[in-house]
């Protein structure tokens, strides 16, 4: 039985390597340095297209999850390590904006649909939406069928004894999906969310640093030898566990989802702001938007972009995703993360 691998098509952890043409010692004015997270991936031919059309060489500095990316951008804001950033999402973006990480820039041509994903309070003046998705609890449907155990359907179910030691989730302090899952519990339980997490942890929930460890290592359908059939991942994930008979071995629980939007922006103090602007524009091009589902497992933000066939059948979207107002996230993020850290360290 064949399963599509849920692994980015470009090598991760690219460090400070150049993707095509040029070298680390090349003329900085001819180079665009992209600071991003470990899951950034675009087909080689699209990178070559950007370089051919813009005249710049794209150099990628990728390390860590999106949460780590946001923290690094804030720490280096006075001496940025690149020209443009991609991958800061709506759970961390307000902090980066408050800290002055990004320069003013709005693409001259914003395709239809994009403005609907603007971060409230920014309206696209610093951060340009590039993709979106929903962080959801995912389950291995084959595991539950083979074990004769009814699959969970709600967040409440995850604290029940029947599901002890079955959940793995990336951590909220180091991972944007982990932060999104924390926000989903805050949206659901309000001020009572710490009690929910106490129950979740007492029921054996495992915490990892990032999504890759949770999904690809510990999840039973992640391609490794994992032993946990419940994982925090994305609503698109089941489209990548399709077997030869056309069915998926996993399912996203759509009542547990929190919407995540990823942005790109020109870094304040960039050595090559023109190149940075060119790359932001390029991310909204039809070619890149069409490549996003297969390359990075996310939904495009431009209206009318075609999706892969498997997505229509196996990646349904939640009709009423959980939400927390950005101003609430900005006001309480540090407090929530301190409380969460205290809980998981006990």
């Amino acid at each position: 039985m064949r399963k599509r691998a849920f692994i980015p098509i470009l090598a991760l952890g690219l460090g400070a390597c150049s993707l095509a043409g040029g070298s680390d010692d090349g003329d900085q004015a001819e180079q665009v340095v992209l600071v991003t997270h470990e899951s950034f991936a675009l087909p080689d031919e699209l990178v070559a297209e950007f370089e051919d059309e813009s005249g710049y060489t794209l150099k990628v500095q990728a390390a860590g999850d999106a949460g780590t990316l946001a923290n690094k951008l804030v720490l280096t804001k006075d001496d940025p390590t690149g020209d443009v950033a991609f991958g800061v999402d709506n759970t961390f973006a307000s902090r980066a904006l408050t800290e002055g990480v990004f320069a003013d820039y709005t693409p001259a041509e914003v395709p239809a649909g994009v403005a609907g994903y603007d971060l409230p309070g920014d309206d696209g003046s610093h951060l340009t939406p590039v993709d979106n998705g929903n962080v959801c609890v995912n389950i291995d449907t084959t595991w539950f069928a083979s074990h004769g155990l009814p699959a969970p359907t709600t967040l409440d179910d995850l604290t029940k004894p029947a599901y002890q030691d079955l959940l793995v989730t990336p951590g909220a302090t180091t991972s944007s999906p982990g932060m999104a899952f924390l926000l989903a519990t805050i949206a659901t339980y309000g001020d009572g969310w710490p009690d929910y997490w106490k129950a979740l942890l007492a029921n054996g929930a495992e915490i990892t640093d990032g999504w890759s460890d949770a999904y690809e290592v510990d999840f039973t359908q992640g391609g490794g030898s994992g032993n946990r059939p419940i994982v925090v991942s994305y609503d698109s994930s089941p489209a990548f566990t399709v077997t030869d008979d056309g069915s998926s071995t996993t399912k996203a629980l759509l009542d547990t989802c929190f919407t995540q939007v990823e942005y790109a922006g020109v870094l304040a103090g960039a050595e090559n702001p023109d190149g940075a602007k060119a790359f932001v524009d390029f991310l909204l091009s039809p070619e890149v938007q069409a490549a996003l589902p297969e390359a990075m497992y996310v939904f495009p933000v431009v209206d009318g972009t075609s999706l892969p066939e498997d997505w229509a059948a196996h990646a349904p979207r939640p009709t009423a995703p959980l939400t927390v107002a950005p101003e609430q996230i900005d006001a309480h993020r540090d407090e929530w993360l301190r409380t969460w850290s205290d809980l998981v360290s006990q």
Side-chain angles (χ1 to χ4, degrees):
M1 183 166 63
R2 178 182 60 82
K3 184 176 71 175
R4 297 183 62 184
F6 195 35
I7 302 172
I9 58 177
L10 286 183
L12 303 184
L14 291 170
C17 64
S18 173
L19 285 185
S23 68
D24 289 345
D25 298 325
D27 183 356
Q28 189 70 24
E30 298 177 354
Q31 199 175 67
V32 182
V33 181
L34 169 65
V35 185
T36 186
H37 53 57
E38 64 182 4
S39 295
F40 172 78
L42 284 179
D44 289 343
E45 58 268 24
L46 284 183
V47 174
E49 180 179 324
F50 168 74
E51 295 184 332
D52 289 343
E53 292 181 354
S54 69
Y56 299 111
T57 297
L58 181 66
K59 177 182 170 183
V60 176
Q61 294 181 349
D65 197 273
T68 302
L69 168 65
N71 291 334
K72 287 182 177 178
L73 291 174
V74 170
L75 290 173
T76 60
K77 64 178 183 177
D78 295 325
D79 186 19
T81 59
D83 303 304
V84 59
F86 164 77
V88 173
D89 76 350
N90 53 306
T91 67
F92 288 97
S94 57
R95 181 188 175 203
L97 289 175
T98 299
E99 294 286 346
V101 167
F102 294 100
D104 288 343
Y105 181 63
T106 302
E109 296 183 10
V110 178
V114 175
Y117 296 95
D118 281 347
L119 189 74
D122 181 55
D123 298 327
S125 60
H126 297 83
L127 289 172
T128 298
V130 175
D131 64 67
N132 74 103
N134 288 281
V135 173
C136 314
V137 174
N138 276 237
I139 59 170
D140 177 352
T141 54
T142 63
W143 188 96
F144 284 99
S146 66
H147 286 72
L149 179 66
T153 59
T154 67
L155 292 175
D156 279 346
D157 287 345
L158 302 182
T159 65
K160 295 178 179 178
Y163 306 107
Q164 185 171 7
D165 298 332
L166 300 186
L167 169 69
V168 58
T169 176
T173 56
T174 54
S175 162
S176 61
M179 180 64 179
F181 181 56
L182 171 59
L183 291 171
T185 65
I186 292 170
T188 302
Y189 300 103
D191 292 341
W193 71 265
D195 291 331
Y196 174 78
W197 272 90
K198 289 177 184 178
L200 197 66
L201 293 165
N203 208 35
E206 181 177 344
I207 311 296
T208 66
D209 284 341
W211 174 89
S212 296
D213 285 337
Y215 195 99
E216 296 173 358
V217 177
D218 294 317
F219 184 45
T220 50
Q221 283 292 327
S225 56
N227 60 3
R228 296 201 172 228
I230 309 173
V231 65
V232 171
S233 192
Y234 293 92
D235 53 353
S236 60
S237 299
F240 293 90
T241 55
V242 177
T243 61
D244 288 336
D245 67 2
S247 62
S248 179
T249 59
T250 65
K251 178 182 178 181
L253 305 184
L254 299 184
D255 290 336
T256 68
C257 300
F258 187 92
T259 298
Q260 186 180 45
V261 181
E262 288 191 308
Y263 301 92
V266 177
L267 293 174
E271 292 192 30
N272 186 358
D274 289 339
K277 294 173 183 178
F279 188 73
V280 172
D281 293 352
F282 180 67
L283 291 174
L284 293 182
S285 67
E287 295 81 6
V288 171
Q289 289 288 299
L292 288 173
E294 294 282 7
M296 288 189 273
Y297 319 115
V298 289
F299 289 85
V301 293
V302 174
D303 284 351
T305 304
S306 297
L307 296 175
E309 183 177 345
D310 285 344
W311 287 50
H314 301 293
R317 313 210 68 187
T319 56
L322 299 165
T323 61
V324 176
E327 58 269 22
Q328 287 293 103
I329 298 175
D330 193 37
H332 298 287
R333 181 192 298 104
D334 291 345
E335 168 199 340
W336 289 337
L337 288 176
R338 282 195 300 269
T339 301
W340 182 88
S341 296
D342 289 343
L343 289 171
V344 301
S345 63
Q346 292 176 2

